[in-house]
Amino acid sequence: MVERAATAIRGVRSSAAEGVDVRGPLPADTLFLRASQGQFDGVVALYHDQGHIPVKLLGMHRAVNITLGLPLVRTSVAHGTAFDIAGRGTADPSSMLSAIEVARRLTAAGA
């Protein structure tokens, strides 16, 4: 855990030195509330559950997962596969539509 924190600190310092407006590491218990209020353009979480749990609580059907570091744009819904409701016609497509829209915007921006 200490190693990951040190890596995060190095990443923040390196990005700031390159002119990126970046802050952190910040405590997750207040970070996501601040992010939901528009204080940040994005959040990078070091652990899956550290990021997904608050994102799902704040807006599961609007949330989009963006995978960084790939040679292509990759977005996905922030929820699971919902096999329990498959074929029933009750699924909410909002998160998928959001993921498609974010992918379109990232592609248009040349990401």
Side-chain angles (χ1 to χ4, degrees), residues 34-110:
R34 293 174 61 191
S36 74
Q37 295 169 339
Q39 292 185 30
F40 307 106
D41 293 327
V43 173
V44 176
L46 295 180
Y47 301 97
H48 176 272
D49 288 347
Q50 185 182 45
H52 267 96
I53 291 170
V55 166
K56 288 179 179 183
L57 287 171
L58 290 168
M60 176 143 70
H61 296 294
R62 296 183 328 269
V64 176
N65 182 356
I66 303 171
T67 303
L68 304 176
L70 299 177
L72 52 89
V73 172
R74 185 213 178 255
T75 63
S76 67
V77 298
H79 56 72
T81 55
F83 285 128
D84 59 323
I85 62 169
R88 295 185 183 180
T90 59
D92 182 339
S94 301
S95 187
M96 180 59 142
L97 294 173
S98 293
I100 292 167
E101 174 59 16
V102 169
R104 186 197 66 74
R105 288 175 34 208
L106 288 170
T107 302

Side-chain angles (χ1 to χ4, degrees), residues 2-45:
V2 172
E3 176 61 30
R4 288 191 187 206
T7 300
I9 292 167
R10 285 193 302 274
V12 168
R13 288 180 180 160
S14 173
S15 297
E18 293 181 22
V20 177
D21 182 10
V22 61
R23 296 186 183 83
L26 300 171
D29 63 340
T30 57
L31 169 65
F32 288 95
L33 176 61
R34 293 174 61 191
S36 74
Q37 295 169 339
Q39 292 185 30
F40 307 106
D41 293 327
V43 173
V44 176

